[in-house]
Amino acid sequence: MVSLRHSLRELMDEHGTRGKLLNALQHTAKREIQLGPRTPVDRIEAEVGMALDLIKNAMQLNAVPVVIKLVRCDGRCSRIVYPARGSTTSAGARRAATFVSVLKTVHTRMRSRQTATVRDVFYGNVELYGRQQVVVDWLVALEQCFGVEKSVFRILAAQKGLVHVPVPLEVEGQELKGVGLIPYVSDSSCVSCKQWDAVEAVIVVEKEAVFHRLTRAAAYCSNKIIITGKGYPDQLTRVFLYRLLASAPRNVAVRAIADSDPYGIDIVLKYCGASPAPGMQRFDYGGIFIRDLIDAGVCANPVTEGCTLQDMSLREWKMAQKMLIALCNEGERGYLSNSGAASIRRELQWQLLSFKKGEMNAIM
């Protein structure tokens, strides 16, 4: 049976007052679609596919407005409305188009089991997205909606970190050795090594320049796995480090080398930020130490050679104070060991007392 819309005469007959008629004219049917919260991982692909079908039917076949609700795990809700009304009609249409495009890409990647980077998605439709951050923002919204990481969507951030491996390392069935980009891994990836007895330590360094200097020193790097996230580490670098630590024997030391300033220590804490399995708190802080620079005046350690002392800014001093207070409180410290936490607390105290910071210059 075909249902025809009411004519204006019929509406006027049914609604005797001007107010009732206005309400009737403004009322239009709409399709409401909700995504999240906390959809089981094995149901995400089906739910995304169903949402795309409903959006297509509403827009193309039924010509009714669409309201898409993204309900996050914390209860917050975002709404995408198409068509948008008012002065933001153009911006609203673009917002809806970018969301549907990202959602369609997610569904395509999950269905085909093919992995892409955020950059690949952006360059797939530069004219629509305009900025790569638009893609990132929608992926973050979907992560918060489903309670998963974007790797579940088969979309990853571009490889940023570097790793030096002196012995063959098995990562998802592929061999890794020498210097290269951090490989793509997930929380369930298998990282293994048959020659752990030849590895003395896993060293995490803050700066890429220091990483290259250490990897060129054959005597230093011959028995060490060296990792850098080139400053603040991305998710891929951290996940690779965690999977590596899960495989490494207890006798393999894990140390971080960073600038002796609040930002350097904050970077170290970012590496330790996950919630590890019991017994995995083995991350130590290896410097540089401001007290050694003050006492010695000259950097004798090849790792800290080229360091200079500088005055801290008030903002850095307050940042160090907040980190010290947080570390003094009992709480989750991720992979950071007790000795590592003590070293960082002591280092922060030295920085606060001396109002100095030690920074490694770019060394090539």
Side-chain angles (χ1 to χ4, degrees), residues 276-289:
M280 289 298 292
Q281 292 83 2
R282 49 190 297 193
F283 210 98
D284 288 326
Y285 179 65
I288 58 174
F289 296 105

Side-chain angles (χ1 to χ4, degrees), residues 5 29-33 50-69 79-84 92-101 103-104:
R5 295 183 180 180
K30 60 184 178 181
R31 167 76 73 179
E32 290 194 358
I33 302 168
M50 183 181 298
L52 287 170
D53 288 339
L54 292 174
I55 294 170
K56 179 180 178 181
N57 291 339
M59 290 182 176
Q60 296 183 359
L61 301 181
N62 300 327
V64 296
V66 178
V67 178
I68 306 168
K69 294 182 179 179
R79 291 162 56 93
I80 300 101
V81 180
Y82 182 84
R94 190 180 188 88
R95 183 170 182 263
T98 55
F99 171 74
V100 173
S101 178
L103 195 66
K104 186 175 181 181

Side-chain angles (χ1 to χ4, degrees), residues 289-355:
F289 296 105
I290 196 76
R291 65 183 185 278
D292 294 338
L293 303 180
I294 294 174
D295 292 342
V298 178
C299 300
N301 191 315
V303 171
T304 60
E305 185 178 349
C307 297
T308 57
L309 286 175
Q310 302 175 26
D311 293 332
M312 291 174 63
S313 67
L314 181 59
R315 178 178 179 177
E316 289 172 329
W317 194 92
K318 290 182 178 179
M319 181 180 178
Q321 184 186 45
K322 289 180 180 179
M323 285 192 291
L324 180 59
I325 292 173
L327 283 170
C328 289
N329 295 331
E330 293 295 330
E332 178 61 54
R333 294 174 183 165
Y335 284 79
L336 188 64
S337 65
N338 290 332
S339 61
S343 296
I344 291 178
R345 285 197 300 267
R346 188 164 54 247
E347 181 61 21
L348 288 169
Q349 289 171 336
W350 272 94
Q351 292 177 21
L352 291 170
L353 289 171
S354 65
F355 224 94

Side-chain angles (χ1 to χ4, degrees), residues 15-16 36 78 99 134 144 161 165 180 212 219 232 259 270 311 361:
H15 306 283
S78 296
F99 171 74
V134 173
Q144 296 173 347
V165 185
H212 288 301
Y232 279 95
D259 288 341
K270 285 292 186 291
D311 293 332
N361 297 329

Side-chain angles (χ1 to χ4, degrees), residues 32-292:
E32 290 194 358
I33 302 168
Q34 177 175 314
L35 292 174
R38 296 191 182 280
T39 303
V41 175
D42 58 348
R43 289 287 307 158
I44 292 177
E45 181 184 341
E47 185 164 325
V48 170
M50 183 181 298
L52 287 170
D53 288 339
L54 292 174
I55 294 170
K56 179 180 178 181
N57 291 339
M59 290 182 176
Q60 296 183 359
L61 301 181
N62 300 327
V64 296
V66 178
V67 178
I68 306 168
K69 294 182 179 179
L70 298 182
V71 183
R72 292 171 169 79
C73 298
D74 60 3
R76 292 181 299 145
C77 179
S78 296
R79 291 162 56 93
I80 300 101
V81 180
Y82 182 84
R85 294 182 179 181
S87 59
T88 60
T89 301
S90 177
R94 190 180 188 88
R95 183 170 182 263
T98 55
F99 171 74
V100 173
S101 178
V102 170
L103 195 66
K104 186 175 181 181
T105 301
V106 166
H107 184 250
T108 301
R109 293 296 173 181
M110 293 185 72
R111 187 174 56 184
S112 65
R113 303 293 187 268
Q114 293 181 347
T115 301
T117 65
V118 175
R119 199 165 185 81
D120 292 334
V121 177
F122 168 67
Y123 278 109
N125 201 336
V126 177
E127 186 177 355
L128 173 62
Y129 298 125
R131 297 180 301 118
Q132 185 171 315
Q133 189 61 39
V134 173
V135 178
V136 174
D137 291 343
W138 281 130
L139 288 174
V140 170
L142 289 173
E143 286 178 296
Q144 296 173 347
C145 172
F146 293 120
V148 297
E149 296 178 356
K150 58 177 168 288
S151 57
V152 173
F153 307 141
R154 297 280 176 169
I155 298 176
L156 303 170
Q159 293 163 290
K160 172 190 172 188
L162 297 172
V163 60
H164 161 80
V165 185
V167 296
L169 198 67
E170 190 96 358
V171 182
E172 290 291 306
Q174 297 184 351
E175 185 178 289
L176 181 66
K177 187 177 180 183
V179 177
L181 290 168
I182 297 288
Y184 285 119
V185 291
S186 66
D187 292 330
S188 60
S189 294
C190 178
V191 178
S192 61
C193 178
K194 297 180 180 179
Q195 301 181 34
W196 278 118
D197 54 344
V199 178
E200 177 186 297
V202 175
I203 306 295
V204 177
V205 296
E206 173 190 350
K207 293 183 175 179
E208 181 182 4
V210 178
F211 171 87
H212 288 301
R213 177 183 173 86
L214 296 180
T215 55
R216 286 197 296 266
Y220 180 83
C221 70
S222 61
N223 60 353
K224 296 178 181 67
I225 296 176
I226 306 175
I227 296 172
T228 181
K230 301 180 183 179
Y232 279 95
D234 60 346
Q235 178 71 13
L236 185 61
T237 302
R238 285 183 287 150
V239 171
F240 174 76
L241 175 62
Y242 303 152
R243 300 313 303 158
L244 185 66
L245 296 187
S247 171
R250 296 292 301 177
N251 63 297
V252 176
V254 184
R255 291 193 298 274
I257 301 171
D259 288 341
S260 182
D261 62 19
Y263 293 102
I265 292 178
D266 190 40
I267 287 172
V268 173
L269 295 177
K270 285 292 186 291
Y271 279 104
C272 306
S275 299
M280 289 298 292
Q281 292 83 2
R282 49 190 297 193
F283 210 98
D284 288 326
Y285 179 65
I288 58 174
F289 296 105
I290 196 76
R291 65 183 185 278
D292 294 338

